[in-house]
Amino acid sequence: MASEEELFANIEALLAEEPQLPPPAERARLREAAGITQARLAQALKSTTQTVKNWENGRSEPKPPRLEAYKRLLEGWAAKYPAHASPVPAPAPSPAAEPQPVPKTFSAPSAPAPQEAAPPPALAAAPAAPAAPERPVRPAGTSRRPAAKKAAAPALDPRFPHGPLAVLDGDGSAYGVDGIVLDCPATTIPELVEWTLRESGLGAAKLNRHGKDSDPLIALTATAAVKLGLPERLEGHEERRSLRLPEDHPVVKQVTKAKWQLTQRGFGPWARIYRKAQGSQRQCVQLAVLSWDALDERSWPGVAEMEPADIARVLGVYAQRVITPRGSTAVSGLELMTALRPPTKAVQDPETGNWVSGYNPGSLGTEPMDPAPPEATTEHPVVVGSGWKGGFLNEEAYQWARSVELLSDEECLLPYAIGLDLNTAFLAASARLVVGLSGPDHFNTPKFNPKIPGSWLVDLSHIELDPRLPSPFTPDGTRPTGPAWYQTHTVAYAQELGHDVHPIEAYLRRETGAYLDPWHDRLKTAYVDTLADLGVTKDLDDQQFLAAMERHKQTDPALAAVLAAIKATVKGGVGKLRERPQGRKYKDGDRWPALERPTWRPDIRAAVISKARVNMHRKLNNMAKMTGLYPLAVLSDCVVYPSPGASPLDFLPYAASGKPQPGGFRLGPTPGLAKLEGVQEMAWAVDLMEKGLNPARHIKGGDAVLDEGE
C-alpha cells in the first residue's frame, strides 16, 4: 500500500506539470468565437502575430509565462463559447490534421536513438469541446509542423527535409523555414554540431551538378549563445568583424577535445566547425552568432532585432533564392560564384578508366592566379617584388559633380533636383560579360580588339567631350592627362564614340568566358522575385511603379531586408574580387590570405565596374541628345538631374505613344532600370555644389556633412 505522503507527492508532481491546452484547431475556434484577432491576442500576450499563428496551426507551443496566461484565457473562452453552441460545430480533428512527430532524418551512429513516444490517438468527434489531450513528447530533431501542412510547403530535397538553416533560441527551439520549429537538446557547441549533422535534417542541395551541397547554418540568438557557453558579446579594441574567441576559451577547447576543427578564421561571428569528409559526406556546420553582429545592419537592416522565427524567414528566403549564408553578404556573393561555377568536375582518366577530379571548363580553376602588374594593388607582391612603376588600372565607379560655372541660368531656375538610382548596376553590367579565365600575357603595341578582355595602356587625353558630362574614362569624370591603363570596355567605348585608339602596351588573356552569367541570372531572379513579392511587378506603368516603390519597404519588412541583402551581395561580391590586406601587422609585399583564392581576380572586378561606368555614360549621353538635360552629379549608380517638376516623369523622355524612349534612363524593377532615389529643391543642390560636395551622395536624405571624403 502506498503511503499518504507518497500519494501527495505524486499529486504535487502532477500539479507541477505544464498546463494542458486544447488542440490547435480548438484554440483558433475559441479565439474566433470571442471575436478577437490574432494580432490583438499577440499584443495582449506581448508576443507576435506569427507566434499566435504557430500556436493555432500546431507549429509550436507556448512556453511559460505565456503558457499559463494563454491556458487561463482559453478556459474562460471555453466556458463562454462551448463547441455545441456554435451554429456550425467545429469538426473533430482528424489524424492527418493533428500535429504528428516527424521521424528523424538521421540517427546518431555512436549512440542508440532516443525512444520516440507514440503519436496520440485521434480524438473522437463530439458535440462538446473536447478535453485537452496529453501533449505528445517531441523527440530531439522532430518537427512541430502539422503533417497536413507539409504538402503545401515548397518541395525540399529529401535529404534535407527541414530546409537549409535554423535560428536557435535559448529555450532549445530551432526555428526553420516555412514556420517549422525543431527541438534541439544541445547544451554545448559540440553537441549542437552533432545534432545538426545527425538529427536536424538541415542542409541544402548543390546549385550545380559538379558542386557541393551547402552546409547547414545555425544562427544563435544571444540567449542561445550564453546557454552554449559563449559570451553574449565579443569585446575588444579591434574592428568587430575581426574579433575572435581566444584559443584558450572553454568553448574552443570543447570543440578541439571533441575532435572538431575550426577554420583559420577561428571562432568569430561566423564560425565553421568541421571534420574531414567521410567519403562523399561532408561534416561541416556554419554558425552565425547574432549578438556578435553576424548580420551587419547595413546589409540586413532590422533583422538582428527580429523574433527568431522572423530571422529564420529572412535567412531562409535568402538561402532559397541566393545561397545559404556563409559569412557577410560579400562572402556569400563570392561563394555564390564558386557554387554556380565549381572549379572541378569528375572526369575519366583515359589510361586507367578511373574517375578523377578535373578542370571544369568555364570556371576559374583551383589555383590562385597572379594579376598583371597594372591590375594589381600597390602592396601586391608582383608590384613590390618587381619595382613596377608603370601605373595601375583605375576602373572605379563615378564620383563626379559638375562645376557650378557650367550651370546655366535656366538650370538654376528649375525648382527641383531629382536623383535616379540604377537597380543593381553592377549586376546588370555582369550580364554576358566576357572575362579572362587564364593568366595574362604581355604584348607591345597590340592592335585593339574589343572582344579580348584585358588591360590596355592607351592615350585617350585627346578626346574632346562635352564638359557638362563626366568623362567616361575616369572615375572623377575629369579628362585624362596622358597615357593610362584601361580595361577593355573603356577603350571599346572610346571607339564607339568615334575615336581612334592605338594601345602602347597590353596584358591580355587568351582563354575567355562569361564566368559571371549564372551568378547574374540567379541574383537577377532573386531580386526581381523579391521585389514582386513586395508589390513591385513588371506589369506596372511608371506612375504605378513609383507608387509601389514608395511603399514597398512597409509592405513586408522581412522581405525588404532580403532585398537589401541581395543588393549587398552584388556589390560585396564584386568588391571581394579585389580584397585588400587587413590588419596593422601587414607589410607591403607580403601575401595575404585572399590571394590564395582563385576568385581573387581584380581584372574581373575592373571589367564589371568599367562596363557599369560606360553604361552610365551612354545613358547620360543619350539623355542629353533626347532631352537637352545634363546631370548635376553622379555617384556610382545614382545620378541627379535638374527637373521642372517633383517627379521623374517630368523630365524622362517618352515617345508620343507614352512609352519610354530607349537609350535613356527608364523606370522599372529589373537590373539596369531606374528608380527614384530622392527629390530636393534645386537651390539645395546648387548650394552643395558650391561647397564642393556631391548632391548625389545626399539626395536621398537631404542632409549633407563635410567629412565624407569629398
Side-chain angles (χ1 to χ4, degrees), residues 281-480:
Q281 186 176 3
R282 290 170 61 80
Q283 296 190 93
C284 185
V285 174
Q286 176 79 59
L287 300 181
V289 188
L290 300 178
S291 59
W292 295 2
D293 298 332
L295 300 181
D296 190 309
E297 176 67 19
R298 295 167 296 181
S299 302
W300 303 93
V303 177
E305 288 74 41
M306 292 180 180
E307 292 291 322
D310 295 320
I311 297 175
R313 180 180 173 227
V314 171
L315 295 178
V317 172
Y318 180 89
Q320 290 166 342
R321 295 184 176 179
V322 182
I323 192 172
T324 305
R326 285 188 56 178
S328 66
T329 48
V331 169
S332 297
L334 201 66
E335 291 290 339
L336 182 62
M337 295 179 195
T338 304
L340 294 169
R341 291 276 199 190
T344 61
K345 69 173 185 176
V347 296
Q348 199 165 20
D349 188 316
E351 296 182 1
T352 65
N354 296 330
W355 289 95
V356 296
S357 179
Y359 172 67
N360 184 24
S363 75
L364 298 182
T366 59
E367 297 300 320
M369 184 184 299
D370 278 341
E375 298 166 349
T377 56
T378 55
E379 66 272 17
H380 196 285
V382 302
V383 173
V384 177
S386 65
W388 172 261
K389 302 294 184 183
F392 299 91
L393 277 176
N394 188 24
E395 298 289 10
E396 302 294 340
Y398 269 132
Q399 294 191 52
W400 170 85
R402 202 186 336 162
S403 170
V404 177
E405 288 75 20
L406 294 175
L407 291 177
S408 67
D409 292 341
E410 291 79 5
E411 287 176 317
C412 291
L413 290 175
L414 290 173
Y416 295 103
I418 293 183
L420 294 177
D421 180 74
L422 295 183
N423 301 322
T424 57
F426 289 167
L427 185 61
S430 70
R432 298 179 297 282
L433 176 67
V434 176
V435 300
L437 302 178
S438 57
D441 292 324
H442 183 245
F443 297 87
N444 286 309
T445 60
K447 182 179 179 181
F448 178 68
N449 186 332
K451 295 183 179 180
I452 301 178
S455 304
W456 309 77
L457 180 63
V458 61
D459 190 350
L460 302 178
S461 61
H462 62 285
I463 298 178
E464 289 275 359
L465 294 172
D466 193 310
R468 291 171 293 181
L469 292 176
S471 167
F473 311 126
T474 60
D476 62 5
T478 59
R479 182 173 174 173

Side-chain angles (χ1 to χ4, degrees), residues 399 401 635 691-698 705-710:
Q399 294 191 52
L635 182 72
K691 295 175 181 177
L693 298 175
N694 188 327
R697 186 183 299 277
H698 310 288
V705 293
L706 297 175
D707 59 350
E708 299 226 21
E710 298 283 354

Side-chain angles (χ1 to χ4, degrees), residues 132-312:
E134 263 192 49
R135 188 169 56 182
V137 177
R138 283 183 299 273
T142 60
S143 168
R144 296 174 183 167
R145 178 168 50 181
K149 294 284 186 181
K150 194 169 183 180
L156 294 172
D157 189 302
R159 297 171 300 155
F160 312 115
H162 297 150
L165 56 87
V167 179
L168 182 62
D169 208 349
D171 64 1
S173 296
Y175 297 84
V177 298
D178 302 324
I180 195 171
V181 186
L182 306 175
D183 287 322
C184 175
T187 58
T188 67
I189 292 294
E191 289 178 0
L192 174 61
V193 172
E194 292 283 356
W195 174 84
T196 303
L197 292 175
R198 315 297 178 207
E199 302 181 31
S200 70
L202 296 173
K206 54 194 175 186
L207 299 180
N208 181 288
R209 64 193 183 99
H210 301 306
K212 301 174 182 176
D213 294 335
S214 288
D215 299 316
L217 167 65
I218 302 291
L220 305 177
T221 64
T223 53
V226 171
K227 176 183 176 181
L228 295 168
L230 299 170
E232 183 174 343
R233 300 285 298 174
L234 270 182
E235 303 297 338
H237 300 292
E238 297 181 40
E239 190 176 354
R240 179 160 297 280
R241 66 177 180 177
S242 64
L243 291 178
R244 303 288 181 267
L245 285 182
E247 292 184 4
D248 60 352
H249 191 278
V251 169
V252 177
K253 289 183 176 180
Q254 286 176 359
V255 171
T256 305
K257 185 177 180 181
K259 293 183 170 50
W260 290 99
Q261 293 178 274
L262 293 164
T263 62
Q264 291 183 350
R265 290 189 298 177
F267 206 121
W270 290 90
R272 291 184 67 75
I273 302 177
Y274 71 98
R275 286 178 184 151
K276 289 186 178 180
Q278 294 179 343
S280 61
Q281 186 176 3
R282 290 170 61 80
Q283 296 190 93
C284 185
V285 174
Q286 176 79 59
L287 300 181
V289 188
L290 300 178
S291 59
W292 295 2
D293 298 332
L295 300 181
D296 190 309
E297 176 67 19
R298 295 167 296 181
S299 302
W300 303 93
V303 177
E305 288 74 41
M306 292 180 180
E307 292 291 322
D310 295 320
I311 297 175

